[in-house]
Amino acid sequence: MKVIICGAGQVGYGIAERLSQEDNDVSVIDTSQTLIAAITEALDVKGYVGHGAHPDVLEKAGAEDADMIIAVTLFDEVNIVACEVAHALFSVPTKIARIRAQSYLQPEYADLFSRQNMSIDVTISPEVEVGKMVLRRISFPGATDVMRFADDQIAMVAIECMEDCPVVSTPLHQLSDLFPDLMATVVGIYREGSLKVARSADQLEVGDLAYVICQRDHVRRTLGLFGHEEPEARRIIIAGGGNIGHFVARTIEEHQPRTRLKIIESDRDKAITISETLRNTIVLHGSALDQNILSQADIQETDLIVMLTNNDQINILGGLLAKSLGCKSNLVLINSTSFNQITQSVGIDAQINPRAVTISRVLQHVRKGRIRSVYAVQHGAAEIIEAEALETSPLVGKSFRELHLPDGIRVGAIFRDGVVIHPDGATRIKARDRVVLFATADAVRDVEQLFRVSIQYF
């Protein structure tokens, strides 16, 4: 696939890195010569210095035979125009634009980016996506990662096996025997830096990170089975009142009115603005690294601090400072991958990488076949995929005992006519089923083949 990426910042770099690793033909455009030099030296991509919305620059980057354009510059308007130009002059089939300004995303303007109004196939709002991720992590304490699939009826939860984990040293097939009505399947295991597909004979060990696909209503029971029965946070402080923090606070006010919420914002004008738009949230003007401000926010009585500023160092230090002052837990937004390996060892309970969230959304549209949703885990070592089975799929009509799926794939759940099905050896996939599975990076191509759209379908 030939892909043009407009924007060589953190998000553009991450997308280019992932797509180039999969042998796609990737071209990157940016106005910064420094960023283009850095990305072409580090990755197997072509770089072009120029304005991503200018026709001559797009032509040099190969827009005439491009399959996709992904516009992720810092400016919404540039992203919009780049997609429009790619459509009007070069007929690029798939156009993806990152949209950050919340004024574009308000519900009353929902039709703005519909296909009849603009030539954009997919809009991605990293702030909204990350905000939803934060809310999921708040809702399911004890999970180190959460993602929802199949109209929110199926969830993937990553669960750390602690010293007191009741299921350690128990073969996974015995869990099915002990809890036959539990709609949950362990699909992947991350152990000592290596991620693998879980098999029925495997046993979990202390320190493992288990990836579990389960029915949404069974998430809390599943967490309890793994020894995680942490209560949901009722006293929360959000540090950073930008788009993400504001979105999270507004959603919590709407859906969790009993939660006592406070926001710390360093910009005075922004603090005033969000205080006027939020009804039940206390807004404090100051730094999350100021102990006096944290004391005013009653940090010692707080269940969770969520660090959502634009500065990774502030987020990490703020999370650590809050815990030292008595806060029970922290959740930290970290953009740079260079901090990933050290955060847990220094006292960060949970972290979210916005780049990973955005890349997952892009991969959904890069994947071939009827792929409805993709979520990359462990820096792309594997993906949780929701795919739709068509009549021509080789999966349809055979029981799982007969299928002999590739080694890197494990099916976690099936969504059929609004009902979640826990698969076993006798289960047969039907046409139109939505299958949620775990696939290692080298098995993704097999998934695409299993859910490919055959010419016989037409």
Side-chain angles (χ1 to χ4, degrees), residues 64-91:
E64 287 186 344
D65 57 351
D67 300 295
M68 177 181 295
I69 182 170
I70 305 170
V72 288
T73 75
L74 294 175
F75 306 100
D76 292 352
E77 291 74 20
V78 172
N79 298 337
I80 293 169
V81 174
C83 290
E84 292 285 353
V85 172
H87 172 78
L89 297 183
F90 304 106
S91 301

PDB file of all heavy atoms in Angstrom, residues 64-91:
ATOM      1  N   GLU A  64      -0.520  10.821  -7.021  1.00  0.00           N
ATOM      2  CA  GLU A  64      -1.257  10.305  -8.180  1.00  0.00           C
ATOM      3  C   GLU A  64      -1.553   8.806  -8.074  1.00  0.00           C
ATOM      4  O   GLU A  64      -2.561   8.340  -8.599  1.00  0.00           O
ATOM      5  CB  GLU A  64      -0.468  10.593  -9.464  1.00  0.00           C
ATOM      6  CG  GLU A  64      -0.496  12.075  -9.850  1.00  0.00           C
ATOM      7  CD  GLU A  64       0.172  12.323 -11.188  1.00  0.00           C
ATOM      8  OE1 GLU A  64       0.904  11.419 -11.660  1.00  0.00           O
ATOM      9  OE2 GLU A  64      -0.022  13.403 -11.754  1.00  0.00           O
ATOM     10  N   ASP A  65      -0.662   8.068  -7.405  1.00  0.00           N
ATOM     11  CA  ASP A  65      -0.919   6.632  -7.259  1.00  0.00           C
ATOM     12  C   ASP A  65      -0.965   6.196  -5.795  1.00  0.00           C
ATOM     13  O   ASP A  65      -0.762   5.028  -5.478  1.00  0.00           O
ATOM     14  CB  ASP A  65       0.129   5.820  -8.018  1.00  0.00           C
ATOM     15  CG  ASP A  65       1.552   6.133  -7.572  1.00  0.00           C
ATOM     16  OD1 ASP A  65       1.741   7.092  -6.803  1.00  0.00           O
ATOM     17  OD2 ASP A  65       2.469   5.413  -7.993  1.00  0.00           O
ATOM     18  N   ALA A  66      -1.283   7.143  -4.913  1.00  0.00           N
ATOM     19  CA  ALA A  66      -1.381   6.827  -3.485  1.00  0.00           C
ATOM     20  C   ALA A  66      -2.705   6.142  -3.169  1.00  0.00           C
ATOM     21  O   ALA A  66      -3.737   6.440  -3.783  1.00  0.00           O
ATOM     22  CB  ALA A  66      -1.231   8.098  -2.644  1.00  0.00           C
ATOM     23  N   ASP A  67      -2.678   5.213  -2.236  1.00  0.00           N
ATOM     24  CA  ASP A  67      -3.890   4.544  -1.783  1.00  0.00           C
ATOM     25  C   ASP A  67      -4.544   5.269  -0.614  1.00  0.00           C
ATOM     26  O   ASP A  67      -5.745   5.123  -0.377  1.00  0.00           O
ATOM     27  CB  ASP A  67      -3.562   3.112  -1.337  1.00  0.00           C
ATOM     28  CG  ASP A  67      -2.964   2.280  -2.457  1.00  0.00           C
ATOM     29  OD1 ASP A  67      -3.679   2.035  -3.434  1.00  0.00           O
ATOM     30  OD2 ASP A  67      -1.784   1.901  -2.350  1.00  0.00           O
ATOM     31  N   MET A  68      -3.738   6.033   0.130  1.00  0.00           N
ATOM     32  CA  MET A  68      -4.250   6.670   1.339  1.00  0.00           C
ATOM     33  C   MET A  68      -3.434   7.902   1.674  1.00  0.00           C
ATOM     34  O   MET A  68      -2.220   7.928   1.466  1.00  0.00           O
ATOM     35  CB  MET A  68      -4.197   5.670   2.510  1.00  0.00           C
ATOM     36  CG  MET A  68      -4.632   6.217   3.853  1.00  0.00           C
ATOM     37  SD  MET A  68      -4.495   4.969   5.176  1.00  0.00           S
ATOM     38  CE  MET A  68      -5.709   3.763   4.653  1.00  0.00           C
ATOM     39  N   ILE A  69      -4.110   8.928   2.189  1.00  0.00           N
ATOM     40  CA  ILE A  69      -3.430  10.075   2.762  1.00  0.00           C
ATOM     41  C   ILE A  69      -3.873  10.215   4.211  1.00  0.00           C
ATOM     42  O   ILE A  69      -5.063  10.092   4.520  1.00  0.00           O
ATOM     43  CB  ILE A  69      -3.699  11.387   1.983  1.00  0.00           C
ATOM     44  CG1 ILE A  69      -2.910  12.548   2.613  1.00  0.00           C
ATOM     45  CG2 ILE A  69      -5.184  11.707   1.915  1.00  0.00           C
ATOM     46  CD1 ILE A  69      -2.939  13.816   1.773  1.00  0.00           C
ATOM     47  N   ILE A  70      -2.902  10.412   5.097  1.00  0.00           N
ATOM     48  CA  ILE A  70      -3.173  10.569   6.527  1.00  0.00           C
ATOM     49  C   ILE A  70      -2.624  11.927   6.934  1.00  0.00           C
ATOM     50  O   ILE A  70      -1.407  12.117   6.997  1.00  0.00           O
ATOM     51  CB  ILE A  70      -2.508   9.445   7.351  1.00  0.00           C
ATOM     52  CG1 ILE A  70      -2.947   8.077   6.839  1.00  0.00           C
ATOM     53  CG2 ILE A  70      -2.848   9.602   8.823  1.00  0.00           C
ATOM     54  CD1 ILE A  70      -2.159   6.923   7.428  1.00  0.00           C
ATOM     55  N   ALA A  71      -3.502  12.883   7.185  1.00  0.00           N
ATOM     56  CA  ALA A  71      -3.097  14.253   7.501  1.00  0.00           C
ATOM     57  C   ALA A  71      -3.148  14.465   9.006  1.00  0.00           C
ATOM     58  O   ALA A  71      -4.233  14.548   9.594  1.00  0.00           O
ATOM     59  CB  ALA A  71      -3.993  15.252   6.786  1.00  0.00           C
ATOM     60  N   VAL A  72      -1.976  14.537   9.635  1.00  0.00           N
ATOM     61  CA  VAL A  72      -1.892  14.651  11.092  1.00  0.00           C
ATOM     62  C   VAL A  72      -0.958  15.795  11.491  1.00  0.00           C
ATOM     63  O   VAL A  72      -0.195  15.694  12.443  1.00  0.00           O
ATOM     64  CB  VAL A  72      -1.439  13.317  11.737  1.00  0.00           C
ATOM     65  CG1 VAL A  72      -2.525  12.277  11.667  1.00  0.00           C
ATOM     66  CG2 VAL A  72      -0.147  12.801  11.099  1.00  0.00           C
ATOM     67  N   THR A  73      -1.011  16.897  10.756  1.00  0.00           N
ATOM     68  CA  THR A  73      -0.228  18.066  11.157  1.00  0.00           C
ATOM     69  C   THR A  73      -0.861  18.692  12.398  1.00  0.00           C
ATOM     70  O   THR A  73      -1.930  18.279  12.856  1.00  0.00           O
ATOM     71  CB  THR A  73      -0.176  19.118  10.031  1.00  0.00           C
ATOM     72  OG1 THR A  73      -1.439  19.804   9.958  1.00  0.00           O
ATOM     73  CG2 THR A  73       0.125  18.477   8.680  1.00  0.00           C
ATOM     74  N   LEU A  74      -0.223  19.708  12.933  1.00  0.00           N
ATOM     75  CA  LEU A  74      -0.736  20.364  14.138  1.00  0.00           C
ATOM     76  C   LEU A  74      -1.947  21.247  13.861  1.00  0.00           C
ATOM     77  O   LEU A  74      -2.595  21.713  14.797  1.00  0.00           O
ATOM     78  CB  LEU A  74       0.375  21.216  14.774  1.00  0.00           C
ATOM     79  CG  LEU A  74       1.575  20.451  15.344  1.00  0.00           C
ATOM     80  CD1 LEU A  74       2.628  21.427  15.831  1.00  0.00           C
ATOM     81  CD2 LEU A  74       1.140  19.521  16.470  1.00  0.00           C
ATOM     82  N   PHE A  75      -2.255  21.452  12.583  1.00  0.00           N
ATOM     83  CA  PHE A  75      -3.309  22.409  12.228  1.00  0.00           C
ATOM     84  C   PHE A  75      -4.469  21.698  11.525  1.00  0.00           C
ATOM     85  O   PHE A  75      -4.290  21.104  10.455  1.00  0.00           O
ATOM     86  CB  PHE A  75      -2.736  23.515  11.329  1.00  0.00           C
ATOM     87  CG  PHE A  75      -1.539  24.199  11.918  1.00  0.00           C
ATOM     88  CD1 PHE A  75      -0.254  23.862  11.509  1.00  0.00           C
ATOM     89  CD2 PHE A  75      -1.695  25.156  12.913  1.00  0.00           C
ATOM     90  CE1 PHE A  75       0.846  24.479  12.067  1.00  0.00           C
ATOM     91  CE2 PHE A  75      -0.601  25.784  13.483  1.00  0.00           C
ATOM     92  CZ  PHE A  75       0.683  25.439  13.062  1.00  0.00           C
ATOM     93  N   ASP A  76      -5.641  21.789  12.118  1.00  0.00           N
ATOM     94  CA  ASP A  76      -6.825  21.125  11.562  1.00  0.00           C
ATOM     95  C   ASP A  76      -7.096  21.560  10.130  1.00  0.00           C
ATOM     96  O   ASP A  76      -7.434  20.737   9.271  1.00  0.00           O
ATOM     97  CB  ASP A  76      -8.058  21.443  12.420  1.00  0.00           C
ATOM     98  CG  ASP A  76      -7.982  20.811  13.800  1.00  0.00           C
ATOM     99  OD1 ASP A  76      -7.062  20.009  14.035  1.00  0.00           O
ATOM    100  OD2 ASP A  76      -8.845  21.125  14.640  1.00  0.00           O
ATOM    101  N   GLU A  77      -6.976  22.856   9.892  1.00  0.00           N
ATOM    102  CA  GLU A  77      -7.318  23.389   8.574  1.00  0.00           C
ATOM    103  C   GLU A  77      -6.383  22.852   7.490  1.00  0.00           C
ATOM    104  O   GLU A  77      -6.806  22.580   6.359  1.00  0.00           O
ATOM    105  CB  GLU A  77      -7.283  24.920   8.608  1.00  0.00           C
ATOM    106  CG  GLU A  77      -8.397  25.556   9.445  1.00  0.00           C
ATOM    107  CD  GLU A  77      -8.174  25.408  10.954  1.00  0.00           C
ATOM    108  OE1 GLU A  77      -7.018  25.167  11.365  1.00  0.00           O
ATOM    109  OE2 GLU A  77      -9.147  25.540  11.712  1.00  0.00           O
ATOM    110  N   VAL A  78      -5.109  22.686   7.825  1.00  0.00           N
ATOM    111  CA  VAL A  78      -4.168  22.089   6.877  1.00  0.00           C
ATOM    112  C   VAL A  78      -4.560  20.641   6.591  1.00  0.00           C
ATOM    113  O   VAL A  78      -4.550  20.186   5.438  1.00  0.00           O
ATOM    114  CB  VAL A  78      -2.729  22.159   7.418  1.00  0.00           C
ATOM    115  CG1 VAL A  78      -1.777  21.359   6.523  1.00  0.00           C
ATOM    116  CG2 VAL A  78      -2.264  23.598   7.528  1.00  0.00           C
ATOM    117  N   ASN A  79      -4.940  19.910   7.628  1.00  0.00           N
ATOM    118  CA  ASN A  79      -5.347  18.516   7.454  1.00  0.00           C
ATOM    119  C   ASN A  79      -6.585  18.400   6.565  1.00  0.00           C
ATOM    120  O   ASN A  79      -6.672  17.522   5.708  1.00  0.00           O
ATOM    121  CB  ASN A  79      -5.618  17.881   8.816  1.00  0.00           C
ATOM    122  CG  ASN A  79      -4.390  17.850   9.700  1.00  0.00           C
ATOM    123  OD1 ASN A  79      -3.256  17.893   9.214  1.00  0.00           O
ATOM    124  ND2 ASN A  79      -4.596  17.786  11.004  1.00  0.00           N
ATOM    125  N   ILE A  80      -7.537  19.300   6.801  1.00  0.00           N
ATOM    126  CA  ILE A  80      -8.773  19.283   6.003  1.00  0.00           C
ATOM    127  C   ILE A  80      -8.474  19.574   4.540  1.00  0.00           C
ATOM    128  O   ILE A  80      -8.914  18.848   3.632  1.00  0.00           O
ATOM    129  CB  ILE A  80      -9.787  20.296   6.569  1.00  0.00           C
ATOM    130  CG1 ILE A  80     -10.267  19.854   7.959  1.00  0.00           C
ATOM    131  CG2 ILE A  80     -10.970  20.459   5.620  1.00  0.00           C
ATOM    132  CD1 ILE A  80     -11.057  20.911   8.700  1.00  0.00           C
ATOM    133  N   VAL A  81      -7.702  20.640   4.294  1.00  0.00           N
ATOM    134  CA  VAL A  81      -7.405  21.029   2.912  1.00  0.00           C
ATOM    135  C   VAL A  81      -6.556  19.970   2.212  1.00  0.00           C
ATOM    136  O   VAL A  81      -6.753  19.680   1.028  1.00  0.00           O
ATOM    137  CB  VAL A  81      -6.700  22.407   2.880  1.00  0.00           C
ATOM    138  CG1 VAL A  81      -6.256  22.751   1.460  1.00  0.00           C
ATOM    139  CG2 VAL A  81      -7.628  23.495   3.400  1.00  0.00           C
ATOM    140  N   ALA A  82      -5.612  19.369   2.926  1.00  0.00           N
ATOM    141  CA  ALA A  82      -4.786  18.318   2.323  1.00  0.00           C
ATOM    142  C   ALA A  82      -5.651  17.179   1.797  1.00  0.00           C
ATOM    143  O   ALA A  82      -5.421  16.665   0.693  1.00  0.00           O
ATOM    144  CB  ALA A  82      -3.772  17.810   3.343  1.00  0.00           C
ATOM    145  N   CYS A  83      -6.643  16.776   2.591  1.00  0.00           N
ATOM    146  CA  CYS A  83      -7.552  15.711   2.151  1.00  0.00           C
ATOM    147  C   CYS A  83      -8.398  16.143   0.968  1.00  0.00           C
ATOM    148  O   CYS A  83      -8.628  15.358   0.032  1.00  0.00           O
ATOM    149  CB  CYS A  83      -8.435  15.273   3.319  1.00  0.00           C
ATOM    150  SG  CYS A  83      -7.567  14.364   4.618  1.00  0.00           S
ATOM    151  N   GLU A  84      -8.874  17.378   0.992  1.00  0.00           N
ATOM    152  CA  GLU A  84      -9.692  17.888  -0.111  1.00  0.00           C
ATOM    153  C   GLU A  84      -8.890  17.940  -1.410  1.00  0.00           C
ATOM    154  O   GLU A  84      -9.372  17.543  -2.478  1.00  0.00           O
ATOM    155  CB  GLU A  84     -10.236  19.273   0.230  1.00  0.00           C
ATOM    156  CG  GLU A  84     -11.262  19.298   1.356  1.00  0.00           C
ATOM    157  CD  GLU A  84     -12.622  18.782   0.924  1.00  0.00           C
ATOM    158  OE1 GLU A  84     -12.823  18.526  -0.274  1.00  0.00           O
ATOM    159  OE2 GLU A  84     -13.492  18.629   1.799  1.00  0.00           O
ATOM    160  N   VAL A  85      -7.651  18.426  -1.336  1.00  0.00           N
ATOM    161  CA  VAL A  85      -6.802  18.507  -2.522  1.00  0.00           C
ATOM    162  C   VAL A  85      -6.462  17.103  -3.025  1.00  0.00           C
ATOM    163  O   VAL A  85      -6.491  16.837  -4.232  1.00  0.00           O
ATOM    164  CB  VAL A  85      -5.512  19.302  -2.204  1.00  0.00           C
ATOM    165  CG1 VAL A  85      -4.532  19.234  -3.383  1.00  0.00           C
ATOM    166  CG2 VAL A  85      -5.845  20.754  -1.890  1.00  0.00           C
ATOM    167  N   ALA A  86      -6.152  16.193  -2.103  1.00  0.00           N
ATOM    168  CA  ALA A  86      -5.834  14.821  -2.500  1.00  0.00           C
ATOM    169  C   ALA A  86      -7.002  14.175  -3.230  1.00  0.00           C
ATOM    170  O   ALA A  86      -6.807  13.382  -4.161  1.00  0.00           O
ATOM    171  CB  ALA A  86      -5.460  14.008  -1.263  1.00  0.00           C
ATOM    172  N   HIS A  87      -8.216  14.518  -2.819  1.00  0.00           N
ATOM    173  CA  HIS A  87      -9.412  13.969  -3.473  1.00  0.00           C
ATOM    174  C   HIS A  87      -9.660  14.631  -4.818  1.00  0.00           C
ATOM    175  O   HIS A  87      -9.844  13.937  -5.840  1.00  0.00           O
ATOM    176  CB  HIS A  87     -10.625  14.168  -2.576  1.00  0.00           C
ATOM    177  CG  HIS A  87     -11.923  13.811  -3.225  1.00  0.00           C
ATOM    178  ND1 HIS A  87     -12.354  12.513  -3.382  1.00  0.00           N
ATOM    179  CD2 HIS A  87     -12.892  14.606  -3.785  1.00  0.00           C
ATOM    180  CE1 HIS A  87     -13.526  12.507  -4.008  1.00  0.00           C
ATOM    181  NE2 HIS A  87     -13.870  13.758  -4.257  1.00  0.00           N
ATOM    182  N   ALA A  88      -9.655  15.960  -4.837  1.00  0.00           N
ATOM    183  CA  ALA A  88     -10.052  16.692  -6.040  1.00  0.00           C
ATOM    184  C   ALA A  88      -9.053  16.542  -7.180  1.00  0.00           C
ATOM    185  O   ALA A  88      -9.449  16.402  -8.349  1.00  0.00           O
ATOM    186  CB  ALA A  88     -10.228  18.176  -5.695  1.00  0.00           C
ATOM    187  N   LEU A  89      -7.760  16.559  -6.881  1.00  0.00           N
ATOM    188  CA  LEU A  89      -6.747  16.550  -7.934  1.00  0.00           C
ATOM    189  C   LEU A  89      -6.150  15.180  -8.213  1.00  0.00           C
ATOM    190  O   LEU A  89      -5.720  14.901  -9.330  1.00  0.00           O
ATOM    191  CB  LEU A  89      -5.616  17.524  -7.572  1.00  0.00           C
ATOM    192  CG  LEU A  89      -6.006  19.005  -7.457  1.00  0.00           C
ATOM    193  CD1 LEU A  89      -4.762  19.843  -7.169  1.00  0.00           C
ATOM    194  CD2 LEU A  89      -6.689  19.501  -8.733  1.00  0.00           C
ATOM    195  N   PHE A  90      -6.129  14.319  -7.184  1.00  0.00           N
ATOM    196  CA  PHE A  90      -5.415  13.056  -7.350  1.00  0.00           C
ATOM    197  C   PHE A  90      -6.280  11.817  -7.093  1.00  0.00           C
ATOM    198  O   PHE A  90      -5.799  10.691  -7.229  1.00  0.00           O
ATOM    199  CB  PHE A  90      -4.198  13.029  -6.409  1.00  0.00           C
ATOM    200  CG  PHE A  90      -3.272  14.192  -6.605  1.00  0.00           C
ATOM    201  CD1 PHE A  90      -3.221  15.223  -5.674  1.00  0.00           C
ATOM    202  CD2 PHE A  90      -2.480  14.288  -7.735  1.00  0.00           C
ATOM    203  CE1 PHE A  90      -2.376  16.301  -5.848  1.00  0.00           C
ATOM    204  CE2 PHE A  90      -1.625  15.370  -7.925  1.00  0.00           C
ATOM    205  CZ  PHE A  90      -1.571  16.383  -6.977  1.00  0.00           C
ATOM    206  N   SER A  91      -7.532  12.016  -6.703  1.00  0.00           N
ATOM    207  CA  SER A  91      -8.473  10.909  -6.481  1.00  0.00           C
ATOM    208  C   SER A  91      -7.917   9.839  -5.543  1.00  0.00           C
ATOM    209  O   SER A  91      -8.067   8.637  -5.779  1.00  0.00           O
ATOM    210  CB  SER A  91      -8.855  10.264  -7.818  1.00  0.00           C
ATOM    211  OG  SER A  91      -9.449  11.206  -8.685  1.00  0.00           O
TER     212      SER A  91
END
